[in-house]
Amino acid sequence: HHRRRPQQRSSAPSAMGSSKHTFIDIASGTAGGIAQVMAGHPLDTIKVRLQTQIPGPDGKLPFNGMVDCAKKTFAKEGASGLYKGAASPLFGAMAHNAGVFFSYGQAKKFTGATEPGSELYRFFLAGSLAAIPITFVETPVDLLKIKLQSQVGEGK
């Protein structure tokens, strides 16, 4: 004799709840991407310019450090110089973070990390899985950003 297992109620969210969580994941990631670029891009631009600077005819480097680079960039190009190349990472960070939040939400469902008291390894596995698809967005965006940031010139 085969005994039938009693049917258990599914703790999975309804289709309506699932799409609501998906929207929240994507909107939160998008907002996080905007904040990330607005706060961090000027420092990233300075870092790239310091890393890619070439000595002039006199053998001296154009910048003597972070503060000097920021002052000279602002004096020569204005605030827009600190945000040079920001469009690419802005859209990239919006897509990247939205993708990470979405992928992590889906991966938590896949690994069973959505239940209260889920084992820690399930969250670790979900985070690891979420990073895989985002690599395809991040790499080309970062390459374009670095190429634009390393251009030193007059601001508009």
Side-chain angles (χ1 to χ4, degrees), residues 11 19 28 44 67 97 99 105 111 118 121 126 130 145 147 151:
S11 60
S19 62
S28 299
D44 200 37
V67 174
N97 288 4
T111 62
S118 295
Y121 81 90
K145 176 193 74 158
K147 287 185 178 215
Q151 296 173 355

Side-chain angles (χ1 to χ4, degrees), residues 8-52:
Q8 294 180 353
R9 282 188 162 174
S10 171
S11 60
S14 68
M16 181 73 138
S18 181
S19 62
K20 179 181 177 186
H21 286 286
T22 299
F23 174 77
I24 290 170
D25 286 344
I26 292 171
S28 299
T30 300
I34 293 168
Q36 174 185 335
V37 172
M38 295 309 293
H41 193 77
L43 292 172
D44 200 37
T45 298
I46 292 166
K47 175 198 74 164
V48 168
R49 288 187 175 190
L50 289 170
Q51 289 173 332
T52 60

